[in-house]
Amino acid sequence: MTRIDDLPIRDELRGKSPYGAPQLDVAVRLNTNENPYALPDALVDRIAERVRDAARELNRYPDRDAVELRTELARYLTRTAGYKVGVANVWAANGSNEVLQQLLQTFGGPGRTAIGFEPSYSMHALISRGTGTGWISGPRNEDFTIDVAAAEKAIAENRPDVVFITSPNNPTGTAVGSDTVLALYEAAQAAKPSLVVVDEAYAEFSHHPSLLPLIEGRPNMVLSRTMSKAFGAAGLRLGYLAADPAVVDAVQLVRLPYHLSSVTQATALAALEHTDTLLGYVEQLKAERDRLVSELRVIGFEVTDSDANFVQFGRFDGPGGSHAAWQRILDHGVLVRDNDVPGWLRVTAGTPEENDAFLDAVRELKKEQSS
C-alpha cells in the first residue's frame, strides 16, 4: 500500500500529520472552540433571503473584490474595536486560514521564514510549511506569556520575514498586551523589516480591547479576524484582515480569482445584519468561560487565565499524562481537546448545560486521581 512518504512530496512535508481534532459522536463536544448557540431563526430566514437573491445570478461570477462585504466588515470593526477603518483597509477570504495563507504566499515562501511563539495556533506552522516558508518556534514563559526579551532576541538572530502574535492565544487563552506587540513590531522592523500578523480570532471574547488601533502608522502590521467564533458561523468559513491599504493590494497578487462565492458573501452579509444578537451570545459565553475558570480552580485544577471562548486546565502529570485524562473525560461523554501541550487540556465554553456536564466529568476525574 502506497504511503504519503512514498510519493514525491516536498521534504518539509514528510512525516507531518494533517491538522484536525477528533470528530466523535458524543453527547457534549467541547473540543473545537465552536460557538454552541445555533443561529437565531430571524438570521436563518435572512440568510435564506440573501442566498435566494444570489442564486438568481449564479450563472455569473461573484463580486471579485467583495466590496459590499468588506465595507460592512470595516463598519463592524470601526464600531466594535474603536478605530475607524474603511473598505481599503479590509480584505476577506474563506476563513482566517486562507487569509493567513495569502499573507504567507505574499510575504513568505521559499527562502523566507516565519516565527511564532509556541504553544500557539498550530496552523501558523502548518500553513508556513505549505507555502514553503521556513518555520521558527519562538519561546514563551512557563506561564505561557511571551518572554519579550527572549522573543526580541529570537527575532534579531533569525531575522524572519513574518512574525505571528496570537491574542488571545490558542490553546492557552492568554491575551497579549499592546506593549508586547509594539516591542516585537519594533524588533521585527529593526531586523529586516518584517510583516507582523496579529491573529485576533478570539478578540470578541477578550477582557481587553482589540489591538486594531496599533495598525495606525504601521504598514507592516496586519490584524487577522474570523466570523467562525463570535458570529457562530464556523460552517461559513469567512475570515478577514485589517491593515494598510498597500497590504490589501499586495494579497490580491496571490488570491485566486473569484475566491469568495456569491453564497458566502450573501451569508456573511446577513450575519453582519444581526451583529447585536450574535454579540449577545458572546456575552453569555464570556460569563460561562469565567465560570469554568472559577469552578475548575475550586475543583483543584491549575487554570491559565483566559480571554478566549475556551479554558486551558491541568496539570496532568500522572500515568498517561494529559491524554489519559482526556480519555477519562471522554468516558463520561464529554469531548475536550488534547493539544499536545504536556500536562494540559483545553475545553471550549459551551452552553450552561454542556459546561455542567463537563464540570461533573472533571470532578469525577479528580476523585479518581485522588483515590
Side-chain angles (χ1 to χ4, degrees), residues 137-371:
S137 180
R140 280 188 181 268
N141 291 314
E142 284 294 317
D143 64 356
F144 301 109
T145 57
I146 293 177
D147 184 329
V148 176
E152 290 174 328
K153 180 179 179 182
I155 291 171
E157 290 177 349
N158 292 284
R159 304 180 71 242
D161 299 273
V162 180
V163 177
F164 285 104
I165 304 171
T166 311
S167 182
N169 188 47
N170 179 15
T172 65
T174 49
V176 181
S178 59
D179 53 345
T180 296
V181 174
L182 291 175
L184 300 191
Y185 182 83
E186 292 304 320
Q189 304 321 300
K192 239 198 161 141
S194 310
L195 189 77
V196 175
V197 181
V198 180
D199 189 334
E200 272 200 340
Y202 300 93
E204 286 92 344
F205 298 95
S206 181
H207 298 97
H208 306 282
S210 170
L211 296 167
L212 177 65
L214 298 186
I215 68 172
E216 174 69 31
R218 297 180 179 89
N220 290 335
M221 182 177 290
V222 178
L223 195 87
S224 172
R225 287 283 195 95
T226 180
M227 293 184 73
S228 294
K229 313 302 180 183
F231 281 81
L236 171 61
R237 309 311 303 133
L238 197 290
Y240 55 104
L241 66 77
D244 188 275
V247 173
V248 175
D249 292 341
V251 295
Q252 293 183 59
L253 298 173
V254 301
R255 63 95 186 269
L256 295 175
Y258 311 106
H259 67 296
L260 275 179
S261 76
S262 300
V263 172
T264 296
Q265 293 184 46
T267 304
L269 283 165
L272 285 162
E273 292 177 13
H274 289 254
T275 296
D276 290 342
T277 299
L278 297 174
L279 291 183
Y281 294 154
V282 168
E283 291 304 310
Q284 295 178 46
L285 288 171
K286 287 166 69 175
E288 283 298 302
R289 180 266 323 278
D290 292 341
R291 179 168 78 96
L292 286 176
V293 170
S294 297
E295 291 290 337
L296 283 166
R297 286 174 174 161
V298 168
I299 294 169
F301 292 101
E302 291 186 45
V303 182
T304 308
D305 289 338
S306 177
D307 280 87
N309 70 333
F310 56 84
V311 178
Q312 180 178 258
F313 66 105
R315 302 193 178 202
F316 303 102
D317 298 323
S322 54
H323 189 73
W326 173 86
Q327 183 61 58
R328 293 302 297 132
I329 296 171
L330 180 61
D331 292 341
H332 288 281
V334 180
L335 179 62
V336 297
R337 186 70 178 269
D338 183 356
N339 279 297
D340 295 323
V341 180
W344 298 86
L345 295 174
R346 189 194 73 192
V347 59
T348 305
T351 64
E353 296 76 17
E354 290 172 332
N355 295 334
D356 287 342
F358 161 72
L359 290 169
D360 287 342
V362 294
R363 287 189 186 100
E364 290 300 315
L365 172 63
K366 182 61 76 171
K367 290 178 184 178
E368 294 168 8
Q369 291 178 329
S370 301
S371 61

Side-chain angles (χ1 to χ4, degrees), residues 52-110:
R52 184 175 62 249
D53 290 342
R56 294 191 178 98
E57 296 185 9
L58 285 182
N59 59 310
R60 302 295 185 185
Y61 285 114
D63 176 6
R64 181 181 58 201
D65 298 328
V67 174
E68 183 182 5
L69 174 57
R70 289 164 56 206
T71 299
E72 292 306 315
L73 287 169
R75 183 174 288 118
Y76 168 74
L77 282 174
T78 298
R79 173 189 165 190
T80 59
Y83 176 75
K84 184 173 178 56
V85 293
V87 62
N89 299 104
V90 176
W91 182 246
N94 293 285
S96 60
N97 287 332
E98 187 177 48
V99 169
L100 300 177
Q101 182 182 60
Q102 291 176 346
L103 288 170
L104 284 163
Q105 287 175 316
T106 308
F107 298 95

